[in-house]
Amino acid sequence: MSKKVYSDAKAALDGLLHDGMTILAGGFGLCGIPEHMILAIRDSGVKDLTIASNNAGVDDFGLGLLLQTRQVKKMISSYVGENKTFEAQFLAGELELEFNPQGTLAERCRAGGAGIPAFYTKTGVGTIIAEGKETKEFDGETYVMERGLTGDLAIVKAWKGDTAGNVVFRKTARNFNAPMATAGKTCVVEVEDLVEPGQLDPDGIHLPSIYTHRIFQGQDFEKRIEFRTVSDG
Amino acid sequence: MAWTRDEMCARAAQELEDGFYVNLGIGMPTKVANFIPEDMDVNFQSENGMLGMGPFPTDNEVDADLINAGKQTITETPKSVYFDSAQSFAMIRGGHINMSILGALQVAENGDLANWMIPGKMVKGMGGAMDLVAGVKRVVILMDHNAKDGSAKLLKECNLPLTGAGVVDDIITELGLFTIGEGGVHIQELAPDVSVDEVRDRSEATIVTQ
């Protein structure tokens, strides 16, 4: 068995969690969130976490579970609208919040994972997001400097992975999982289906094994849907 | 007769062109997709990581791994392609998306846009709006001409925190279609029986006629 393979979320996170750490959590809304690792982090009791995640889950699922237990000190997110626990803790001054435009958050992770400490973007120029940040003109346009982002740990959800750590995502569940995987000092991936090397098409791998430090197959994914919208067909 | 919401969406759809890649904002802009002519090929981008977004699924097609940026379940089409968030915003910020149609709280006559926060109220976040207005080639605002309390939304200057500075190209309201240009907000087209005076009465921005 590959040294990267662990039996479950608790085993895969063993030795990686400490108070005050920064965690990059993949997912968009509830789509593609590492639901087993979120539960294991809750059960570990680790606290004062800084979590970078596009959203903050809902009250009783996803990262909302870590808010309920007050394990989160600060969130770095682009949109937190779906969570009343978040709102209550934020308005009471118990939770720090750093808003990043969604593309800036994604690019910060991509840059962080690629060894790029900072980059310039037009996003946010002339808004409160750019306040206190360096700006620079290129070809007559103003850009704001944003920092690359890395974390102590990236927690990532994928569809399939092989025991070497090559990973394939499914549909829109890829989202932040891929860039965040590259930006964690350690990256742990939970998959729905763990297969042997050779069973995934090498041309179809979304995340090469070099980024995956630990991997496990989760059991009984809930994969909750936030807004179930249907047509009559 | 001011335009109905459907007529506003239909008017916005007329701004699309064959082959366009388009990002529609949450709310009324989403409905523009219902008014695309059958023979027009328009690709919808969903910033959570998809091109070629399809309509809502039937009950048995629902897939938890397939949602739009509003976190609603959707479907794929034969042209669909999926990618990660960094790639998605590289498309947006790199100027590859032809048009974005978004809602607004306020638009100023210099093209400033405010649509993400009201100080004193809970701030939910800007999501991808700041990236879209900074990067997409043409930004069209689809909004009610006035706020619920009757106050103007087309202003000389926005007093809410900005989403982007000088980013708006066109505005569609129930009163007509307007373009940000020299000297203020230019009337391009008025809804039936709407007068220039009515637009001026219901706006604070400088209204310019052709």
Side-chain angles (χ1 to χ4, degrees):
Chain A
M1 189 62 93
S2 159
K3 285 180 191 151
K4 290 185 180 179
V5 176
Y6 289 76
S7 58
D8 58 17
K10 188 179 177 203
L13 292 172
D14 186 46
L16 299 180
L17 302 177
H18 58 86
D19 291 352
M21 72 188 299
T22 297
I23 297 177
L24 312 175
F28 182 96
L30 300 180
C31 182
I33 60 171
E35 54 182 83
H36 293 93
M37 282 190 277
I38 291 169
L39 284 169
I41 290 169
R42 181 193 64 181
D43 294 345
S44 78
V46 66
K47 60 182 192 298
D48 294 330
L49 300 173
T50 293
I51 299 185
S53 168
N54 189 56
N55 313 93
V58 293
D59 289 278
D60 62 343
F61 192 62
L63 292 174
L65 296 172
L66 304 184
L67 294 169
Q68 276 187 359
T69 50
R70 298 177 183 271
Q71 286 167 272
V72 183
K73 183 182 74 176
K74 178 181 176 181
M75 289 293 304
I76 303 172
S77 302
S78 86
Y79 191 84
V80 295
E82 265 67 66
N83 195 310
K84 288 189 178 63
T85 311
F86 188 107
E87 186 170 338
Q89 289 183 18
F90 177 73
L91 292 175
E94 298 163 356
L95 182 64
E96 290 174 56
L97 171 60
E98 177 187 321
F99 274 128
N100 281 191
Q102 195 174 140
T104 293
L105 180 59
E107 186 66 11
R108 289 185 71 194
C109 295
R110 196 200 69 82
I116 297 168
F119 58 91
Y120 289 94
T121 178
K122 271 197 287 188
T123 298
V125 170
T127 76
I128 58 174
I129 293 303
E131 283 175 11
K133 293 175 183 166
E134 183 190 318
T135 58
K136 192 167 178 174
E137 272 204 16
F138 295 94
D139 305 322
E141 292 240 37
T142 305
Y143 295 77
V144 59
M145 190 180 82
E146 296 281 0
R147 296 295 309 272
L149 179 65
T150 56
D152 299 303
L153 173 68
I155 55 173
V156 163
K157 155 71 179 29
W159 180 37
K160 290 183 178 181
D162 67 23
T163 57
N166 294 305
V167 164
V168 177
F169 301 100
R170 186 170 176 274
K171 301 185 188 282
T172 57
R174 192 180 322 184
N175 55 58
F176 279 86
N177 281 298
M180 283 182 166
T182 68
K185 289 189 187 82
T186 305
C187 170
V188 185
V189 181
E190 64 178 75
V191 297
E192 293 180 47
D193 191 12
L194 188 65
V195 301
E196 290 301 314
Q199 292 186 265
L200 300 175
D201 175 5
D203 258 339
I205 303 289
H206 299 140
L207 183 72
S209 65
I210 194 166
Y211 298 109
T212 304
H213 300 100
R214 299 183 180 187
I215 192 166
F216 69 95
Q217 180 173 303
Q219 306 297 325
D220 303 321
F221 280 88
E222 179 177 342
K223 292 176 71 167
R224 192 185 293 188
I225 292 171
E226 208 156 332
F227 301 114
R228 187 187 177 92
T229 43
V230 295
S231 70
D232 298 329
Chain B
M1 277 286 289
W3 285 327
T4 63
R5 296 202 144 209
D6 276 359
E7 286 166 339
M8 288 164 65
C9 292
R11 185 62 193 83
Q14 286 176 29
E15 295 301 302
L16 301 173
E17 293 175 29
D18 199 43
F20 261 23
Y21 289 89
V22 178
N23 184 296
L24 299 178
I26 292 165
M28 191 170 21
T30 307
K31 299 203 174 79
V32 173
N34 301 333
F35 296 91
I36 311 291
E38 291 247 331
D39 58 348
M40 189 186 279
D41 178 25
V42 175
N43 283 282
F44 291 106
Q45 200 241 18
S46 190
E47 67 263 27
N48 54 317
M50 181 183 196
L51 278 175
M53 180 172 35
F56 292 152
T58 58
D59 207 45
N60 59 9
E61 287 174 332
V62 168
D63 185 336
D65 290 335
L66 184 44
I67 64 168
N68 63 18
K71 294 154 192 145
Q72 298 169 310
T73 48
I74 51 166
T75 52
E76 64 185 21
T77 64
K79 288 183 195 163
S80 290
V81 55
Y82 302 104
F83 34 84
D84 67 54
S85 298
Q87 172 81 280
S88 180
F89 282 91
M91 281 172 207
I92 291 168
R93 295 151 71 123
H96 304 280
I97 307 282
N98 298 94
M99 188 186 290
S100 185
I101 303 176
L102 301 168
L105 296 166
Q106 297 178 336
V107 178
E109 61 188 45
N110 64 354
D112 286 359
L113 169 67
N115 74 351
W116 78 283
M117 76 175 279
I118 301 173
K121 292 198 176 177
M122 178 58 197
V123 182
K124 294 184 170 185
M126 74 291 284
M130 284 191 182
D131 305 286
L132 286 163
V133 300
V136 171
K137 283 183 190 145
R138 185 172 166 209
V139 174
V140 177
I141 297 301
L142 187 59
M143 68 174 193
D144 293 329
H145 201 89
N146 296 86
K148 285 205 177 80
D149 66 359
S151 61
K153 295 175 71 169
L154 266 182
L155 304 172
K156 291 192 185 304
E157 279 180 42
C158 295
N159 52 39
L160 294 173
L162 297 187
T163 309
V167 294
V168 174
D169 295 293
D170 306 281
I171 306 117
I172 294 168
T173 77
E174 69 272 27
L175 300 188
L177 188 153
F178 311 93
T179 297
I180 300 295
E182 199 162 329
V185 178
H186 295 239
I187 297 176
Q188 298 292 347
E189 186 178 328
L190 291 172
D193 302 324
V194 170
S195 68
V196 174
D197 283 345
E198 181 177 1
V199 174
R200 289 205 166 114
D201 284 347
R202 291 175 56 181
S203 311
E204 188 213 78
T206 308
I207 302 297
V208 181
T209 53
Q210 300 301 314

